[in-house]
Each structure stands twice: as C-alpha cells, then as structure tokens.
Amino acid sequence: MNIKSFSYQPKYSKCILFLVLFCVAYFYHYHHVLFYTPQSIHQFRQADCLSIALNYYQGDMNFFKPELHNQMSQGGNSGFAMGEFPIIYYLVAVLWKIFGLHLWLYRFVVIVITFIGLLALFKTFEGVLKDSVWALLLTVLFFTSPIVAFYSNNYLTNMPAFSFALVGWYYFYEFYKKHRTRFLYVSMLFFALSGLLKVSSAISYALVLCIFVFELTGWIKFRNQKKLFNKPAKQFVPILIVPLLILFWYWFANKFNTYYGGSYTFNSVWPIWKMTSVQIAEVWNGFTTFTLHQLFSITNLWFSALMFVSIMVFVALKKIRKVHLFVLCILILGTVFYSLCWFNAFGNHDYYLIDLLMLYLFVCLLFFVGLKNISSRIFNSYITKGVFCVFLVFNILFCQNNMKMRYWIDINKPERFTNQFEIGGWAYMHEVYIKKQKAYETLSYYLREIGVTPKDKVISIPDGSINISLVLMNQKGWTSYGFDCKTQGERIRKLMNLNAKYLLINDSVVYNDSTIMPYTRYYMGSYENIDIYDLQMIR
C-alpha cells in the first residue's frame, strides 16, 4: 500500500475523527465543564439562553411564546421575549421532559450539534483533498480555536448556528459533485437553520447566492464547462426560501417583542459608522489585547497569513482555478462587511468572531488544494504531516490553557501562552463568580426551607444582567436590569406593586444606599453571601 492510498481511508476515517475529538475534548476538561451552570465570559447571554429553555420546560411548552425569568415584559408582569429561533431551547426542554431536569443535557445537545458540524467539515475536506489524514489534522486544528472549543460546550447558539452552516456546505459540495437538486434543498435547509439561530451566520448563504447570480449572468463558470445550476428556475426556489424564512422569523420576533414590550437581544447590527473615534480606538484596543487571542494561537494566525499569501502565488502559477480565488474574494468582502456591521462587539464579545472563521476554513482548503497541485510529494509526505502534527499539538496545548483560564481549572503558568491582561480578565471573572454568584446555584433549597415558593417573585440585587442570579436559583422576578428609577428604594417600591415578595442582596455595598433601608426591616435569613428580606410585611 503506498502513502497516498494509506492516507485516504474514508471507510474508517469517521471513527478515527470522533475518537480524536473525544480525546481532545477530554483534554479541554469537557467532562467537568459539561456539568457547569452558566459562568465565565458572557455569562449574561448564557443565562438568557438557559432561562428560555427552563421556562419552556416549566411552562406550557408553547413554542411561539418563549419566556425569561426576568419579568421585564407587559409592564413588569411577564417575561415573554423573543430573539433567535428557539429550536434548541425547545429541544432541550423536550429532553428534560423525557429524562428529567439535568442541565448537562443542554451542553450535551450543543456538543452533539457541533461534532456533527465538525464531521461535515471533515467529510468536505476529505472529499476535496482525497486525503483522510489532512482532513483529520485540519478539522482538529479548527477545534483548537478557543472560541470554538468554549462555545461548543456552552449555552449560546453561535456554535450550533456555525455547525449547521458547515453541514450546509457539505451538502452543497455533494450537490456540486453529483448534480442532484435534492442535495441543494438539504443544503439550503441547514443554511436556513444557521441564519435562524444567528442571522450573522448567513455569510455562507450570501456566498451561495453570489455564486448563483454570477453563474446565471454568465460572468463566470464554477464547474468547468458545465453549469453548476443547470435548472436555475427550479433551483432558485430553495435558494429563495432561505432569506424569506430568516426575514419572516426576525420580523415575527420584533412584532412579538413590540407587543409584549420586552427584549433580551436587539436583533440588529452594531456598526462602526455609529461610533465615535474614541469608541473605535477603545474597541480596537480591546480586540488586539484580548479578543484576537481568542481566535487562534499567534502561530496559527501567522500560519493563516502565510496560507493566504501562498494562495495568491498558487493562482499566479495556475495551480488553483481563478474561480476559487473569485469565491475567496467574495467571502473576504462578506467578512469585511460583517466586521463593519458588528465592529462594536469586537472589543470583548468574542463569540461574534465565530462566523468569521468560515474565511479561515476556506483559506485552509484552498491552500492545501494548491499545495497538492503544485507538489503532491510534499502534500503526501510523512515528514510534512509529522511537522504539522507537532504544530497541531502546540495549538491543542494553547487551547487547553485558554479553556482552563476561562473556568479557572488547575491554573499553572498560564502566561506561557498569553498576556497578563488576559490572565487578569479571566481571574476577575472567576472571582466575581465565586464571591457573588456561586451561592445562587444551591440557594433554592434554602429558600424552600424559609417559606419562599417557586412561584414567588423576588428582587435580586445587585445584578446588572437580565437573568444570571434569577436563572441560577430558578426563581422568577427582577434584577438590577431595566426600570428607570432615581433611587434603589423607588425601584423596589415599584416592583412591590408588581407583586415582588422578597428582596435578595448579594453584596454589602448595596447597604450604602440609604433609600433601601426601609425594605430591609424584615430579615428572613442569610445563605453564604446572600441576605433575604420579606417585602410582604411592609405592604
């Protein structure tokens, strides 16, 4: 058996892929993180997602009426609010109905969807490169991105949305190879799911639409002498359905939020053109000192730049078709457009960068296509693959270190892979969680002991998020979020009129506000750092 045939083993490759992914996931402490409540970076948004799933499970399972713990809607009388398509939240609630309320099932669903996406990515690489080893190495390399590793085992929908896009590309590649329209329909279904979960993930669909339009106008041929879309009238139907579904859902979500008067996400852009020069500078500083390091290791970022330059050389040497360069240019323009539309988020919202990784994957694919065409000997060499394995191991170590910092697990010399600014940021998040939030995870047992029922509404302060403390103790009510009042006391009185029965204070600094003292007369007890007061006695 020669090297080439040994490297291409599609019959066994999927099993090897999952074995490697499971090993790497274990190395990333997935077996511990699986059981964690929302915490670390963007705990705010994680809690919102978990809140919707919990309210489905504890409510009447009405798919089109998602609800939060925070009673922000209908003038403070309900938590009805809508954002992305809630299919994952609903699926998790269904699983809870069957197997019982286990939070780990939520993270497990996200992991499964992500691994399906990674399988689709692997099969696409394997099909194009005709090499299972390179497909495996590149797929695992993608899994060394900290934002991929972190949000693959999380409560947010960003990685499921990206994973559905990867599945969409796999079926689009099948459509490209086999010229069967049914594959196009399946591809568009997954692109639609991707955009419904996160509208920013529609970058992939936009690229497909450009391919369709440019081929239809005759400007370029994507399949040598044959047309890719040989039945454009029929094949445009699934392509058209995608934006219609996405636009309809977000139109419906906005109508829903307007009707109930509540919202947990703005469902819009966060553009650079609405920012001042000072704000742009602040975001750029946050991006270069923190967010950029969540994409990949510096070595991988430099490798990406090298691959991009090499692609230009391969095109000049006619080792890559110009049509591939054309597709890459469209994707670059889409990436730039996306970056401008959501630039404000790039300072510390690392999950907004996930959709930009599609460009990285296309660069990887085109680079190795060019390498294979220019030198099959280098491409098939054991030495080349061995060196790349060493590079891959380094990146796995880098990602593991990042994951440990995000959850502050077994920290030991984290400065080997990052800067002091980033270490300080992760340490601060962990300290806040331990000192102020962790007690909420087991607070419900104590609340039941002192007479607080699951249906009683509470005020939990200080908590600037919509749902963090409320979802951790699984109690409906209000946090410090929303309701424009001049004093804390005025706000409490307003919420008491909305049937708030108990006041929970997790930080002694709150007592410095004299307006709050009349509401702390009826002390019920304390649980670690949380003091509980009865507001019903004041009425």
Side-chain angles (χ1 to χ4, degrees):
M1 181 182 291
N2 58 38
I3 293 176
K4 184 175 180 180
S5 61
F6 178 78
S7 295
Y8 185 50
Q9 297 289 332
K11 185 177 180 180
Y12 308 105
S13 59
K14 293 190 291 295
C15 296
I16 297 174
L17 169 71
F18 282 120
L19 177 61
V20 173
L21 287 177
F22 289 147
C23 290
V24 175
Y26 182 85
F27 194 61
Y28 290 165
H29 297 277
Y30 269 34
H31 53 299
H32 295 308
V33 176
L34 186 67
F35 300 95
Y36 288 177
T37 58
Q39 54 189 270
S40 189
I41 189 169
H42 302 302
Q43 183 188 28
F44 187 125
R45 193 66 172 83
Q46 295 179 53
D48 294 343
C49 297
L50 178 57
S51 178
I52 297 173
L54 279 171
N55 277 282
Y56 272 138
Y57 170 73
Q58 294 166 166
D60 59 4
M61 294 292 288
N62 187 336
F63 183 85
F64 294 101
K65 289 190 73 174
E67 188 177 1
L68 301 168
H69 281 71
N70 193 305
Q71 304 296 282
M72 62 167 64
S73 304
Q74 293 181 300
N77 289 291
S78 78
F80 293 124
M82 188 176 287
E84 59 276 349
F85 192 61
I87 185 65
I88 291 180
Y89 313 137
Y90 198 82
L91 172 61
V92 170
V94 170
L95 292 175
W96 284 338
K97 289 286 187 181
I98 299 172
F99 299 106
L101 181 57
H102 304 288
L103 291 190
W104 65 266
L105 275 171
Y106 192 127
R107 289 184 183 264
F108 183 73
V109 166
V110 176
I111 291 172
V112 170
I113 294 173
T114 300
F115 277 26
I116 290 172
L118 292 175
L119 173 62
L121 175 65
F122 169 78
K123 295 303 293 183
T124 304
F125 277 149
E126 186 180 49
V128 174
L129 299 176
K130 296 296 185 290
D131 191 296
S132 304
V133 175
W134 276 123
L136 174 66
L137 295 177
L138 292 174
T139 302
V140 177
L141 181 64
F142 176 68
F143 194 48
T144 65
S145 167
I147 53 176
V148 172
F150 181 73
Y151 293 107
S152 294
N153 185 4
N154 204 272
Y155 296 92
L156 271 65
T157 58
N158 295 75
M159 270 312 297
F162 191 86
S163 299
F164 284 140
L166 292 178
V167 178
W169 278 119
Y170 169 73
Y171 280 104
F172 189 79
Y173 174 63
E174 290 295 300
F175 166 68
Y176 176 87
K177 286 192 307 180
K178 301 174 182 177
H179 231 207
R180 295 176 183 172
T181 303
R182 63 186 176 92
F183 289 119
L184 180 64
Y185 272 89
V186 178
S187 173
M188 293 303 108
L189 170 64
F190 281 101
F191 282 140
L193 280 172
S194 177
L196 286 167
L197 288 178
K198 282 294 172 184
V199 68
S200 53
S201 292
I203 288 178
S204 294
Y205 166 76
L207 178 54
V208 172
L209 181 61
C210 288
I211 292 173
F212 179 84
V213 171
F214 283 117
E215 186 182 75
L216 187 66
T217 55
W219 291 357
I220 195 165
K221 292 182 179 180
F222 290 88
R223 208 170 184 269
N224 297 323
Q225 301 305 314
K226 296 181 181 179
K227 283 190 174 183
L228 177 58
F229 298 97
N230 59 340
K231 300 175 182 177
K234 180 181 179 181
Q235 292 163 340
F236 183 60
V237 173
I239 294 176
L240 179 62
I241 289 175
V242 175
L244 291 179
L245 285 174
I246 295 172
L247 289 172
F248 173 78
W249 175 258
Y250 286 102
W251 170 84
F252 177 73
N254 286 329
K255 287 289 185 181
F256 183 92
N257 291 336
T258 300
Y259 179 80
Y260 285 104
S263 176
Y264 65 93
T265 180
F266 53 88
N267 288 335
S268 185
V269 295
W270 211 355
I272 191 172
W273 55 84
K274 289 187 178 181
M275 300 171 63
T276 65
S277 58
V278 174
Q279 290 173 327
I280 292 173
E282 288 177 352
V283 169
W284 181 251
N285 180 63
F287 176 76
T288 54
T289 58
F290 175 76
T291 316
L292 181 64
H293 302 280
Q294 314 313 312
L295 272 173
F296 288 105
S297 70
I298 294 298
T299 55
N300 200 351
L301 292 174
W302 279 111
F303 178 62
S304 304
L306 176 63
M307 287 193 295
F308 183 80
V309 173
S310 299
I311 289 171
M312 302 300 109
V313 175
F314 294 156
V315 171
L317 296 175
K318 298 182 178 180
K319 295 299 180 179
I320 293 181
R321 291 177 60 202
K322 289 184 179 180
V323 67
H324 294 151
L325 178 63
F326 178 77
V327 171
L328 183 61
C329 288
I330 295 175
L331 193 56
I332 290 172
L333 290 175
T335 301
V336 171
F337 178 74
Y338 171 90
S339 300
L340 295 175
C341 286
W342 279 279
F343 181 81
N344 206 337
F346 287 4
N348 56 10
H349 291 69
D350 58 351
Y351 60 87
Y352 275 80
L353 299 180
I354 290 175
D355 294 309
L356 302 184
L357 295 178
M358 195 62 73
L359 175 61
Y360 171 83
L361 294 176
F362 269 78
V363 168
C364 282
L365 181 62
L366 292 183
F367 170 78
F368 280 92
V369 167
L371 179 64
K372 184 177 182 179
N373 291 339
I374 203 168
S375 177
S376 60
R377 184 176 180 181
I378 295 176
F379 179 85
N380 292 314
S381 169
Y382 283 137
I383 296 176
T384 306
K385 293 172 180 176
V387 171
F388 197 88
C389 282
V390 175
F391 174 70
L392 177 60
V393 169
F394 171 82
N395 280 276
I396 291 174
L397 291 171
F398 164 82
C399 187
Q400 185 217 38
N401 186 72
N402 186 284
M403 285 288 288
K404 288 165 68 175
M405 286 191 300
R406 285 174 181 253
Y407 291 109
W408 217 249
I409 301 173
D410 188 26
I411 296 299
N412 182 26
K413 296 182 179 180
E415 65 276 3
R416 289 178 297 183
F417 295 100
T418 187
N419 56 61
Q420 290 300 321
F421 177 83
E422 187 182 356
I423 296 171
W426 298 126
Y428 173 75
M429 290 180 206
H430 181 70
E431 183 180 11
V432 170
Y433 166 70
I434 293 296
K435 289 185 176 181
K436 295 183 180 181
Q437 299 166 346
K438 186 173 176 59
Y440 282 104
E441 296 179 0
T442 51
L443 177 63
S444 61
Y445 302 105
Y446 181 70
L447 291 178
R448 304 299 167 258
E449 288 179 6
I450 61 176
V452 181
T453 70
K455 293 185 178 181
D456 291 333
K457 295 182 180 181
V458 303
I459 303 171
S460 178
I461 56 175
D463 180 0
S465 74
I466 299 176
N467 288 293
I468 290 177
S469 60
L470 297 176
V471 80
L472 289 180
M473 61 176 161
N474 196 12
Q475 199 83 27
K476 289 185 179 181
W478 301 267
T479 60
S480 306
Y481 182 90
F483 290 95
D484 186 17
C485 298
K486 293 182 180 179
T487 66
Q488 192 73 268
E490 178 188 347
R491 187 169 184 276
I492 293 173
R493 171 56 65 180
K494 187 174 182 179
L495 295 177
M496 284 176 63
N497 293 333
L498 294 171
N499 202 30
K501 293 184 177 181
Y502 303 96
L503 173 65
L504 282 65
I505 299 175
N506 67 65
D507 192 333
S508 60
V509 72
V510 172
Y511 297 110
N512 295 332
D513 183 354
S514 60
T515 67
I516 207 172
M517 300 314 294
Y519 304 99
T520 59
R521 284 182 292 171
Y522 298 97
Y523 174 76
M524 296 181 67
S526 295
Y527 184 82
E528 296 185 21
N529 59 295
I530 304 167
D531 298 330
I532 302 142
Y533 301 92
D534 192 339
L535 298 176
Q536 300 172 92
M537 303 293 289
I538 304 174
R539 300 183 189 279

